[in-house]
Amino acid sequence: MKQNMKVFIPATLGMLTAFGPFVTDFYLPVLPEMTGYFHTTPALASMSLTAGMIGLAAGQLFIGPLTDKYGRKRILVGSMLLFVVASLLCIFSGDIFMFNAMRVLQGLAGAGGIVIAKSMSADMYTGRELASFMALLGAINGIAPVCAPVVGGLMAGVTSWTGVFAVILAVGLVLMVCSMFLPETLQPANRIRKSVIKVYGNLFRVFRNSRFTLSVMAEMACFFMFFAYIASSPFIMQQVYHLSPLGYSLCFGLNALMIGVGAAMATRFRSQGTCLRFGGLGMLAGTLLLAFLLNTAMPLWIVMLAYIYTLICFGLMQPPLTAIALDSERDNAGAASAIFGASGFVAGALSSPLVGIGDITVTSGLVMACGAVVCLLFILPLSSKLRAVAA
């Protein structure tokens, strides 16, 4: 039984942390169909992506601190139940405005899985063990973005958008049942006994820790780069390089797999600081190379190699950044996880519109490179602090 739990817990937590991105990637291929179904514009249909992202960011900030006071498990199960209800309401929405509102609710509920899974990890592990477990979750997370767009694209040919959302609802049900069998990782003696208002005050208190703050800022810069890639890649690969939607999905899946490869490689480094410096410098080199290749209209296979290298470096930094942030604020793990998780979606909301300004082959490379530069500026002092602690 204990051996089975060693597989069940990482698998469930991995699926929970990948749940938000999976839901978004999975229904991308049916967005054009939804535009016709709701008799709306592509812009309003695409707003459902923004609505989900807002829910994912706000939900982590709302749910994370509550788990420090009331425990992890029952709030997690409640979040998954709310996700199932929201998915059902998405399917039966009468217009695009109702659908987008339900996407916000779906994001809020899905955020519970992301933030609580990370908090549970911080409850169970510490130090290098936590970093190794985060690397394992990162490798598991690499599967969802690989499968989601490809399977979603195949399903778009055999079913309607409601069928795609029925699958999303079914996945939510499975995760709700799995959550019921997870152990409670925050015992009553370790919970915060302050009022709810003071619990939410921990969202600001965690920034007093310089290691936590540097980790969050580096993570925001990482995701500033990453969402610039996500927002620009459909247009670059389909309009500039003339790939089909399925061809784009396969390229997107390959690049997502590389993030998982990078996360798995993080355990090979002797120290978290070395891993971060290597990843930060590599990501900067990769984005600068991409900016050059896109501006000189190089063949797609060369551009893909640059994407692959850049995203491996991005994945390489995720486990140590997450572990450092949560380990440095162990007493406020829920609040720390909420801030850390929401920061990436905030950065994505900032960078995604920028790549559409002017020529996308020019602006996408510039925005990605800017994110990599800022990331390195925070990683260097963070790695110095880690060396000082180790000494």
Side-chain angles (χ1 to χ4, degrees), residues 189-204:
N190 298 325
R191 296 173 190 175
I192 294 177
R193 303 181 186 280
K194 300 176 183 176
S195 67
V196 173
I197 294 175
K198 290 185 177 179
V199 167
Y200 279 107
N202 289 343
L203 287 171
F204 304 98

Side-chain angles (χ1 to χ4, degrees), residues 353-364:
L354 296 179
V355 299
I357 300 174
D359 186 346
I360 198 166
T361 57
V362 176
T363 53
S364 61

Side-chain angles (χ1 to χ4, degrees), residues 231-317:
S232 62
S233 61
F235 300 97
I236 290 173
M237 292 188 188
Q238 293 186 69
Q239 295 182 358
V240 177
Y241 289 101
H242 308 293
L243 288 181
S244 66
L246 181 58
Y248 164 68
S249 295
L250 292 172
C251 288
F252 186 90
L254 175 62
N255 288 335
L257 180 62
M258 293 303 104
I259 298 174
V261 170
M265 289 170 57
T267 57
R268 301 292 182 179
F269 288 81
R270 286 187 175 182
S271 69
Q272 294 173 333
T274 304
C275 181
L276 288 175
R277 288 193 300 274
F278 187 91
L281 289 168
M283 192 170 77
L284 176 58
T287 53
L288 291 174
L289 178 60
L290 270 171
F292 171 76
L293 295 176
L294 292 172
N295 277 281
T296 52
M298 287 291 180
L300 178 60
W301 71 270
I302 298 178
V303 174
M304 277 296 295
L305 288 176
Y307 274 131
I308 286 170
Y309 175 72
T310 302
L311 292 172
I312 286 176
C313 294
F314 169 82
L316 191 64
M317 290 185 287

